Amino acid sequence: MTMKKTLLLLLLSMSLTATAQEKRIVERLGIDTRADFQRTYVDGETIDEESGFKGKNLNVIVSGQLSDRFSYFLRQRLNKSSFDSNFFNATDRVYLDYKLTDQLTLRAGKQTIAIGGFEYDRSSIDLYLYSEYLYNVSCYAWGGSVIYDPTPGDQLLFQVTESMFGALNNLHDVYSWNVMWYGNHGWWSTTWSANLTEWAKNHYISYLSLGNKLQLGRQVNLEVDFMNRAASHQAFFLKDFSLVGQLNYQPIDKLNLFTKATYDVNRTDTPADLLVHPDTEITSLCAGLEYFPLGDNSVRFHATGGYAFGTNSNPAGTLLDRQTMIDLGLTWRVNIIKP
């Protein structure tokens, strides 16, 4: 993004605040920033381009109500380049919601592709080490959704978006069909989805994603994500999948300790999975801490260390055999206007 466009976006956001207090056109205006110092080694050798001080995130977030039924959301990355022909390359999400009833909402615009899992749904500013699948996936696309809330603890989402593989294969007019269930039932929460996505014109790969979060008392929770991927002419289950687990322990309100493990494998001989390539079997392990000195999410320090091992057949893959990753960082969130 050019500096001129950055300033224009900020000035537009500020101008909206002039009427925000009266009309609530802007209910939230915030800036999220994260900066890290990281070191990456492969078999003991430093990877220079992945080491040193790194600016990870710089996001502007704006949301509000246009009327009793219309609302909107925008998250723009100021640290991600966009081309003059497509300013939206640096836009994660920008959509308009129309509330038909208390239980039914229509959404149109650029949005998160509903392919599930707690790791996938977490914002990149809150992730430190990903599964190989998540490192490669494109999470946002233009499309439409129907959101239905049958009970206070459940939400169903029916969605059609552009295929995440369109940009990878330089394809147009390819789509993803997604159904998602968000559940919140006390000690058990879910993000489950079933998906059918074109990886090439009229060629599909299906996803079954089962994200589960278990609240094990007030201080401990466990997140387990399982994603199975399958195309035609192959066994459906346990040939191409990712498994992710994260255990969180919060001994005090200001401190979160966590461990995480990821496992990505593809034992198929089809080219359908463009993210975890055939003959890949890679595992990563990490541990870390998050410290919130103000007792809320506005300032956060983190420290993590991770190790990956196995085989990654993707020449542009991120997780590599005998790879060590160390990450120290600071995140701050400035809410100019709070909801």
Side-chain angles (χ1 to χ4, degrees), residues 194-254:
N195 316 87
L196 191 64
T197 300
E198 285 183 277
W199 63 272
K201 191 67 174 178
N202 297 321
H203 293 276
Y204 294 87
I205 186 169
S206 63
Y207 291 170
L208 179 65
S209 183
L210 306 175
N212 298 273
K213 182 176 181 179
L214 307 177
Q215 193 67 41
L216 308 175
R218 190 182 67 85
Q219 297 173 305
V220 181
N221 66 70
L222 174 65
E223 298 171 0
V224 180
D225 296 335
F226 171 75
M227 171 181 279
N228 193 86
R229 300 173 291 268
S232 58
H233 309 300
Q234 71 176 70
F236 189 84
F237 282 109
L238 300 180
K239 288 291 187 180
D240 181 8
F241 68 91
S242 295
L243 183 63
V244 179
Q246 179 166 324
L247 181 67
N248 300 287
Y249 171 54
Q250 194 170 5
I252 58 175
D253 289 341
K254 294 183 178 182

